[in-house]
Amino acid sequence: MQFGKISEKTKRVGELIRKITELGQEQKADINDVRNLIKLIETNYSDIQDDVFVSSVATVLREIDKDGRVDSSEKDLLLSFEKTLEEPISSEPVTEVLGKNFVLTGDFDIQGGKQTVEEMISAAGGVVKSGTSKKVQYVVRGNKGSEAWSFGNFGTKIEKALTLNLTGKAKIKIVSEEALLAYFKLNSQDAMDVLRNQEARFSAQWNTAKVVSNNFTGLTNGQQKVFDLVKDGHNVYLTGLGGTGKSYVLNKIIEWAGKAGKNVIVCAPTGIAALNIGGSTIHRALDINPNKTLQMNPYPTIKDGSPIPECDLMIVDEISMCRMDLFDYLSSVLFKAARIREKEGKPRCQLVVVGDFCQLPPVVQKSERPILEQKYGFDVGGAYAFMGKYWNKWTFKSVELTEAIRQRDSDFVAALNACRVGDTRGVHWITEYSSKHPIDNAIVLCGRNSKAESENNKRLGMLDALSTTYIGEKTGEVEEKDMPTAERLTLKPGARVMSLINDREDTYMNGTLGTVIKCKKDGVAVMFDGGRTELVPLHTWNVTKPTIVDGKTKSETIGIYTQVPLKLAWAITIHKSQGQTFDSATLFPECWDYGQLYTALSRLTKVENLFIAEPVNDSYLKTSPDVIKFLEGRYEGHFCG
C-alpha cells in the first residue's frame, strides 16, 4: 500500500526491515548476524521499540538466538516482514465467512457504517469479535482509515494482528472493506438482503420527516390516533422521535381518564422519570424491592390495600428504560389482578407504554447480567422490555409519532430520524451544519459521569466568589435515586445551573439554563438565558406511591425532599440529559452504548446551536439490531409466537 507520506520513523523501520530481509535471503544465515541485529535494535531503535514491526523483529530474532540456528521456517518469517510493511492490507480476497471470526476496525463507507457490516457478517454465518486474538481469521479495515496509517500508526486491533502474524503465532488476514463486500456480492444473498433492507429503511427515514407549523395547537394526526385508541380501550405502545410530543399526548390521556372516572396509575422505571410525569416508580407502585425481579420465578404479590386490583389504566413512561425482568414482573402482577377484577365483572387493566427504544437501553449492572441470562436462558443483550415473556401477551397497538414539534427544521428532523436507526449520513449532515465555533454558556454533554463532574467542579473552582452550600431536607422514604439534585448543593455567583422544575413559560422551565447572580437563604437569584432574572426558591418534591382510598386510586406521599431545584450545568452526562431539551449544547461525542449519540443529538431544537467539540467517528452511532427488528416487526425473540 502506497501512502504518499513517509515519516522519519517509517524510514528507520524500513531500513531495519531491509536488513532483516537480507538475513532471510542468505543461503546460510549466521547466528552471529542474528545477534548483531539484536544489539543494533537495542542500541539504535530503543526509542521506537514499541513499534509493531520493531518489537516483532526483536521477538523473532530472540527466538532464533535461543534456538542457536536459522531454519527455513524462520527464514520465511523474516522475509514476510518486508511484504507486510509494503502491503499491510492483504490483496487476497475473502474466501469464506461461514464459521469464521471477524474483527472490524475504522469507519466504514457503507450505509450504516460498522453496524451494517456486523449484521451482514452475521447473516452470512460469521461471528464478529470485539478484539483481535489467535482465534480470529479476519481483521476488516473500513475505507475511512485514518491518515495516521501514512505514518505507521495502525490502531490496536491491526497492530495485534500484525504482531501475531509477524511472530508466527497466527495467520490472520487483514483485508479491506471492498474485499469483504465483494465476497458478499458473489456468495451471500442473506448479507446483501441486510444491506438492501438498511438502504430502504434509511431512505424512508429521510423522506418521512415532518414538522408542524409554529402556530400549531391541538393534537397532531399521530397524537389523535393514540388518544382515540386509548379511549377505545386498546393497549398501546407509543413511540417516536424525541420532540414529537409523546409527553404532551400522555398528559392529555391522563386528563381524559380522570374526567372519565377511571382509576389511573402513572409510573416510570426511574425516580427522576417518575417525578417528571408526576407519578411513582414501578417498584413503588408494586411495593417491591429492586432485587425481587431478578429472582428465577418471582411470585406476583399483591399486598392487602394495594391499588393494583382497582387500576383501570396504567401508564408506564420511559418504557425504553424499563428492563425486561421488571416489565415481566409488572405484567404478571397485572395479569393476576385481572383475575380478581374478572370476579368483580371488571375488564383487565388497560396498559399504555410510552418511550423510544432507539434511545438509551435499560441499565444492566455487570453483576446482574449473568443472573438475567441464567433466568432467561439466552444472551439478553440490551434487556429491553419487548424481549421478555409478557410483551406479546398485551397485543399492543403500536403508534409511532413522526411529526416533530421540538425540532422545527425539517432537515434536522430528517437527520435525527436517520441517526435514530443507525444511518451515519444523519451524523454527517448534523456535523456539517452544526456550529463551527463554541457557543457561549452552552451546556456540555459528555458520555462519562466522571468527565461531567470534573468539568463542573473545575469550573466552579475557577470562580472567584464565595460559595454557599444548600443542604437538602428529606423526611419519610426518600432514597438517593429520588433526589433530582444533590443533597449537598454548592453554588457560587457565576455558576451555570439548570432548572429542574417548571415555573412558567415566560420565566423558567425544566431544563432551562441560567447563571447564578446571588445565593440567598431562601433561594437563588438566577439570570436565565432568556435575559430574565428570577429568584428560584426552595422546592419540595413529593415521593409517592399509588394507594387505594374508597375504591379509588390515589397517590400517597411517602417521602418529602426539599432543596433548591437547580443543579450545576456546565456539563451533564448524556444519560442524565434524556428527557431534557436544550437551547444550545457543546457535545463531546465519544459514545459506546446503543442510542447514546442519538439521545444527545436529539436534545437540541436547532442544529446551528450545537457545537461538536471533537471529531465524530461513525462507530459512535450505535443502534441495537434487536430494536430495529422490533420496530420493523421482524423481531423473533425467544417468547414470540
Side-chain angles (χ1 to χ4, degrees):
M1 177 173 286
Q2 299 300 318
F3 299 114
K5 301 177 184 178
I6 299 178
S7 67
E8 187 59 35
K9 171 188 166 184
T10 304
K11 288 180 184 177
R12 292 172 62 197
V13 172
E15 291 169 1
L16 175 63
I17 298 305
R18 279 193 291 276
K19 295 179 185 295
I20 296 301
T21 301
E22 290 170 3
L23 177 63
Q25 290 172 339
E26 288 181 14
Q27 191 77 22
K28 203 169 183 181
D30 193 320
I31 193 65
N32 289 321
D33 292 335
V34 172
R35 290 167 182 162
N36 288 336
L37 282 171
I38 293 173
K39 188 175 291 186
L40 175 71
I41 293 170
E42 291 172 346
T43 55
N44 291 7
Y45 290 86
S46 60
D47 59 323
I48 55 171
Q49 60 184 346
D50 291 336
D51 176 85
V52 62
F53 286 95
V54 175
S55 61
S56 297
V57 164
T59 298
V60 171
L61 292 176
R62 289 188 182 112
E63 286 296 320
I64 293 172
D65 185 31
K66 195 184 296 183
D67 294 342
R69 64 189 182 87
V70 186
D71 61 28
S72 59
S73 63
E74 288 166 336
K75 280 188 176 185
D76 291 341
L77 207 54
L78 293 172
L79 292 173
S80 71
F81 277 84
E82 186 171 39
K83 182 182 178 183
T84 303
L85 181 65
E86 291 176 352
E87 193 179 32
I89 295 286
S90 173
S91 59
E92 297 180 37
V94 174
T95 55
E96 191 174 5
V97 171
L98 181 64
K100 302 301 181 184
N101 293 328
F102 289 76
V103 168
L104 308 181
T105 184
D107 285 341
F108 288 72
D109 271 336
I110 195 170
Q111 281 194 22
K114 186 181 293 183
Q115 189 163 322
T116 298
V117 178
E118 289 179 359
E119 293 182 37
M120 293 177 77
I121 290 171
S122 178
V127 178
V128 178
K129 300 290 186 179
S130 58
T132 309
S133 71
K134 296 178 185 177
K135 296 179 180 180
V136 168
Q137 285 77 47
Y138 290 97
V139 173
V140 185
R141 174 183 178 261
N143 284 345
K144 297 180 181 177
S146 167
E147 282 197 4
W149 270 64
S150 303
F151 302 100
N153 299 316
F154 302 110
T156 55
K157 292 176 181 177
I158 287 181
E159 286 194 356
K160 181 70 179 290
L162 288 171
T163 299
L164 290 171
N165 288 345
L166 292 170
T167 55
K169 296 176 181 175
K171 291 183 178 179
I172 301 171
K173 288 185 179 180
I174 305 171
V175 300
S176 66
E177 178 180 342
E178 290 100 333
L180 182 60
L181 294 181
Y183 172 86
F184 288 145
K185 288 175 183 177
L186 292 174
N187 301 286
S188 178
Q189 183 65 39
D190 290 339
M192 295 309 296
D193 284 345
V194 167
L195 181 57
R196 279 188 283 271
N197 289 337
Q198 286 275 41
E199 290 171 343
R201 177 167 67 249
F202 293 163
S203 177
Q205 293 295 324
W206 280 100
N207 295 330
T208 56
K210 298 177 183 177
V211 296
V212 299
S213 63
N214 288 324
N215 58 0
F216 178 82
T217 58
L219 298 178
T220 65
N221 292 336
Q223 290 172 331
Q224 188 64 56
K225 181 179 179 181
V226 172
F227 190 84
D228 291 342
L229 283 170
V230 175
K231 282 184 68 175
D232 289 344
H234 295 285
N235 300 316
V236 176
Y237 162 55
L238 172 61
T239 187
L241 179 73
T244 50
K246 295 187 292 292
S247 296
Y248 179 78
V249 71
L250 189 63
N251 287 327
K252 290 293 183 184
I253 290 169
I254 295 169
E255 182 183 332
W256 161 79
K259 291 178 179 177
K262 291 182 177 291
N263 288 325
V264 182
I265 293 178
V266 182
C267 52
T270 68
I272 303 303
L275 286 173
N276 286 341
I277 58 168
S280 66
T281 64
I282 297 173
H283 288 92
R284 281 209 171 93
L286 297 174
D287 199 8
I288 58 171
N289 66 63
N291 293 325
K292 170 91 173 181
T293 62
L294 282 172
Q295 296 173 10
M296 288 301 292
N297 293 291
Y299 183 76
T301 302
I302 300 177
K303 296 181 180 179
D304 290 342
S306 168
I308 297 294
E310 299 299 325
C311 180
D312 300 310
L313 171 63
M314 177 172 282
I315 296 174
V316 181
D317 197 16
E318 298 291 0
I319 188 65
S320 65
M321 301 165 71
C322 181
R323 212 168 62 191
M324 59 196 295
D325 55 315
L326 179 57
F327 183 78
D328 277 352
Y329 185 79
L330 169 65
S331 298
S332 68
V333 170
L334 292 178
F335 275 57
K336 181 177 182 179
R339 294 192 288 272
I340 299 173
R341 291 173 63 85
E342 186 179 7
K343 293 176 183 177
E344 299 173 354
K346 298 177 182 177
R348 188 169 72 184
C349 172
Q350 187 179 358
L351 182 61
V352 175
V353 296
V354 184
D356 183 1
F357 285 117
C358 291
Q359 293 193 34
L360 287 157
V363 174
V364 181
Q365 301 293 346
K366 188 175 181 180
S367 60
E368 294 172 331
R369 185 166 294 280
I371 298 173
L372 281 173
E373 294 183 351
Q374 182 181 4
K375 176 184 174 77
Y376 284 98
F378 58 88
D379 180 354
V380 298
Y384 300 98
F386 64 79
M387 300 175 73
K389 299 177 181 178
Y390 278 89
W391 183 271
N392 289 329
K393 296 180 186 297
W394 288 101
T395 59
F396 289 114
K397 297 287 186 181
S398 297
V399 179
E400 181 175 348
L401 300 183
T402 59
E403 296 167 290
I405 297 167
R406 183 190 297 157
Q407 286 84 9
R408 302 291 187 182
D409 182 333
S410 61
D411 290 332
F412 188 28
V413 173
L416 288 172
N417 268 337
C419 293
R420 184 171 181 254
V421 296
D423 186 351
T424 53
R425 292 177 301 170
V427 175
H428 301 162
W429 186 93
I430 292 172
T431 301
E432 181 178 353
Y433 290 99
S434 61
S435 174
K436 299 302 179 284
H437 305 285
I439 301 168
D440 290 342
N441 295 327
I443 194 168
V444 175
L445 302 178
C446 44
R448 301 189 186 280
N449 192 54
S450 57
K451 186 173 181 65
E453 286 186 2
S454 174
E455 183 70 16
N456 284 329
N457 292 333
K458 180 183 76 173
R459 298 279 193 97
L460 187 67
M462 289 169 62
L463 294 176
D464 185 16
L466 291 175
S467 65
T468 300
T469 299
Y470 295 88
I471 309 298
E473 295 182 6
K474 57 182 180 178
T475 57
E477 299 177 32
V478 180
E479 302 175 23
E480 186 176 355
K481 65 184 180 181
D482 298 315
M483 302 177 191
T485 189
E487 193 171 359
R488 292 180 59 86
L489 178 64
T490 300
L491 300 174
K492 292 180 181 180
R496 290 292 291 169
V497 291
M498 180 172 69
S499 168
L500 301 175
I501 61 169
N502 293 323
D503 185 52
R504 300 191 313 274
E505 287 193 11
D506 61 340
T507 56
Y508 56 90
M509 303 288 285
N510 187 8
T512 303
L513 298 173
T515 302
V516 173
I517 301 300
K518 189 174 183 178
C519 297
K520 300 183 177 183
K521 186 176 181 180
D522 58 344
V524 180
V526 178
M527 178 182 285
F528 288 98
D529 288 354
R532 186 164 181 151
T533 299
E534 295 285 338
L535 178 68
V536 180
L538 296 174
H539 181 78
T540 296
W541 289 272
N542 292 325
V543 179
T544 66
K545 75 173 184 179
T547 187
I548 189 78
V549 178
D550 297 329
K552 295 291 184 181
T553 53
K554 303 287 185 183
S555 289
E556 176 190 359
T557 298
I558 60 172
I560 294 174
Y561 181 62
T562 301
Q563 179 59 292
V564 178
L566 300 170
K567 68 186 300 181
L568 287 174
W570 282 288
I572 63 172
T573 63
I574 295 169
H575 279 75
K576 293 289 186 185
S577 77
Q578 187 158 330
Q580 302 283 352
T581 303
F582 305 120
D583 292 330
S584 60
T586 293
L587 173 63
F588 285 87
E590 182 187 3
C591 292
W592 56 91
D593 207 352
Y594 290 140
Q596 193 176 13
L597 182 58
Y598 161 65
T599 298
L601 295 171
S602 59
R603 299 308 93 202
L604 278 296
T605 57
K606 296 180 180 179
V607 68
E608 61 267 26
N609 288 350
L610 171 67
F611 173 66
I612 302 176
E614 297 171 347
V616 184
N617 292 337
D618 284 355
S619 59
Y620 294 166
L621 184 67
K622 295 179 71 69
T623 305
S624 165
D626 287 329
V627 169
I628 296 300
K629 291 175 184 175
F630 170 75
L631 293 178
E632 296 179 346
R634 298 185 294 112
Y635 179 72
E636 297 180 358
H638 292 257
F639 305 108
C640 293

